[in-house]
Amino acid sequence: MGAHSKGAVRAVPVADTAPLPRVDSAARPGAAGRDRYFDTLRAVALIRVVTYHTFGLAWCGLVFPSMGIMFGLAGTLMAKSLERPAFQVVRSRLRRLLPPFWFWGLFVVVAMLVHGWMPGWQIVYWIVPLGDPPGNEWGVQAWEILWYLRTYLWFVLLSPLLLKVFRLAPVPVLLLSLCPILVLTFGWAGPDNRFGSALWDLSTYLFCWILGFAHRDGVLQRMKPAVVVALSLAALGYGGWYALGHQAEFGTYDLDEIPLAQAFWSAGFVLLLMWAKARFRIDFAGLTRLRRLDRVVTVFNARAVTIYLWHEIALILAVPLIDQFWKVPAFETYLPLESQWFMFGVGWVLIAGFVLLCGWVEDVAARKKARLLP
């Protein structure tokens, strides 16, 4: 497996994507417990992650900051879940996350061992990814996306404490949650190890996670529209300016390579999405009338972990598969084999295959009956 594209905000690149451990959607009356607004955002985030990893377009993060959105959604759902005992909630999240990760990791680890990888004690991070699981260069494109699972896992573990602190002074804590990324950028950069990588990612998306708390507790709904819009535009403005104004320093304006810009751009973007949801009570209830589209959204949400984990492998396999197409004269003549859009389409076909073959693990992890499709 060769490196395909860069990703997240840290020394080891990403997705998304988005990516993304599935959690139960926030309840909405009359929708069988599903909030189609959140479900749709999660589905679009996953599509954007696959798109970014196919084309490597730097502007993707500006158009739709998938990872910030995913952490914001997960934060609000975590706050909802913590109405139950914290230990039960954390255990449930781990049970849903780890089995699909282990199943996927078994294939990746064995493949790297076959290709000469010699693991050390750090292989324990393939059991519980509290730090970046190790790997070799051959498999980097597959395992580099695990930064998201590691960050999500830490947020889950820290949420009982974070929620208590947030509820002491909601708005001040929300605003102060941007301070850690400022400190890391302009002050102490943290250690150059697994702990340092985790610290950067947690700091980058801390605001989005706590913003989820603010949405769940009704804090956003009580804020004045002018204040919300001003704060959002200020965050977007600063994040965009920092990314575009420091291209020479970072070699790109890709938010995934610039943690500070990612933090502020995501903060402003997700703030508007969450506030609009609370203010205007957006629920996308009409989506249920578009049965095929509604079905797609349902599958994306029920198989979010599978799509996130396997999408890079699908893109890797698409390359040698397309190489075989060149051997068929009709394919060579009539198919756009050189187009990245064609690879994008083949990648989604392979992703669909992985959903059918491997998605049942998510059902087992959730203690449901295993099914090919939800």
Side-chain angles (χ1 to χ4, degrees):
M1 300 181 192
H4 175 69
S5 63
K6 286 194 172 185
V9 285
R10 53 185 202 110
V12 179
V14 101
D16 194 239
T17 143
L20 336 171
R22 190 192 83 232
V23 289
D24 297 330
S25 286
R28 175 176 61 82
R34 304 298 307 185
D35 187 314
R36 300 314 264 170
Y37 178 73
F38 284 170
D39 287 349
T40 303
L41 287 179
R42 188 179 294 107
V44 174
L46 285 167
I47 293 170
R48 205 285 286 167
V49 165
V50 178
T51 302
Y52 173 76
H53 285 153
T54 303
F55 299 97
L57 302 171
W59 49 262
C60 278
L62 293 171
V63 173
F64 198 79
S66 288
M67 307 319 293
I69 290 169
M70 290 304 305
F71 282 118
L73 298 179
T76 194
L77 299 172
M78 190 67 184
K80 176 181 183 293
S81 295
L82 283 172
E83 295 170 2
R84 297 182 285 122
F87 177 77
Q88 293 181 14
V89 174
V90 172
R91 183 178 61 182
S92 174
R93 290 291 187 272
L94 294 179
R95 190 186 69 241
R96 287 171 174 264
L97 173 65
L98 293 179
F101 165 65
W102 292 334
F103 183 79
W104 171 87
L106 177 64
F107 290 90
V108 175
V109 168
V110 170
M112 290 192 296
L113 290 172
V114 170
H115 285 80
W117 180 46
M118 291 294 293
W121 67 267
Q122 296 91 344
I123 198 172
V124 298
Y125 292 118
W126 280 100
I127 301 174
V128 181
L130 291 173
D132 295 321
N136 60 8
E137 286 298 319
W138 181 86
V140 65
Q141 186 179 339
W143 56 257
E144 67 182 359
I145 64 172
L146 294 178
W147 74 271
Y148 173 79
L149 271 68
R150 181 250 297 147
T151 306
Y152 173 85
L153 179 59
W154 272 112
F155 274 134
V156 166
L157 296 175
L158 293 171
S159 280
L161 176 60
L162 288 174
L163 187 58
K164 288 182 179 179
V165 173
F166 167 76
R167 285 173 173 167
L168 293 176
V171 175
V173 169
L174 179 62
L175 295 177
L176 287 173
S177 65
L178 285 169
C179 290
I181 191 62
L182 290 169
V183 171
L184 289 174
T185 302
F186 298 113
W188 176 62
D192 186 18
N193 54 26
R194 282 181 170 82
F195 174 75
S197 295
L199 195 61
W200 273 94
D201 290 331
L202 285 167
S203 299
T204 299
Y205 296 104
L206 180 61
F207 180 93
C208 292
W209 189 271
I210 293 182
L211 186 64
F213 295 170
H215 172 266
R216 176 62 192 174
D217 283 8
V219 175
L220 297 182
Q221 194 171 7
R222 296 192 294 269
M223 294 179 67
K224 295 181 179 180
V227 173
V228 173
V229 173
L231 290 175
S232 177
L233 292 179
L236 287 168
Y238 182 68
W241 167 81
Y242 193 86
L244 297 173
H246 292 75
Q247 291 184 66
E249 179 181 347
F250 294 97
T252 180
Y253 63 89
D254 189 336
L255 298 180
D256 285 348
E257 302 296 333
I258 313 172
L260 183 68
Q262 177 76 276
F264 276 85
W265 186 267
S266 295
F269 203 100
V270 180
L271 177 59
L272 280 180
L273 288 177
M274 289 286 191
W275 174 78
K277 162 70 175 172
R279 179 76 178 184
F280 303 110
R281 301 184 183 276
I282 303 172
D283 59 9
F284 282 8
L287 185 64
T288 56
R289 294 193 292 270
L290 305 172
R291 293 187 178 183
R292 292 184 179 179
L293 182 58
D294 186 64
R295 178 66 173 153
V296 170
V297 171
T298 296
V299 172
F300 266 77
N301 279 267
R303 295 292 184 259
V305 182
T306 301
I307 293 171
Y308 182 78
L309 286 174
W310 291 94
H311 82 273
E312 279 283 22
I313 294 180
L315 293 175
I316 292 167
L317 294 178
V319 176
L321 180 59
I322 293 173
D323 287 342
Q324 296 303 310
F325 288 179
W326 284 99
K327 299 178 181 180
V328 181
F331 289 171
E332 182 180 358
T333 302
Y334 296 109
L335 294 179
L337 301 181
E338 294 182 343
S339 170
Q340 280 188 298
W341 282 103
F342 186 74
M343 187 178 77
F344 185 64
V346 172
W348 275 110
V349 171
L350 293 174
I351 290 171
F354 283 125
V355 166
L356 292 174
L357 291 173
C358 309
W360 58 268
V361 181
E362 293 196 61
D363 292 330
V364 174
R367 295 180 177 176
K368 298 177 180 178
K369 181 180 178 180
R371 295 178 293 175
L372 287 178
L373 282 177

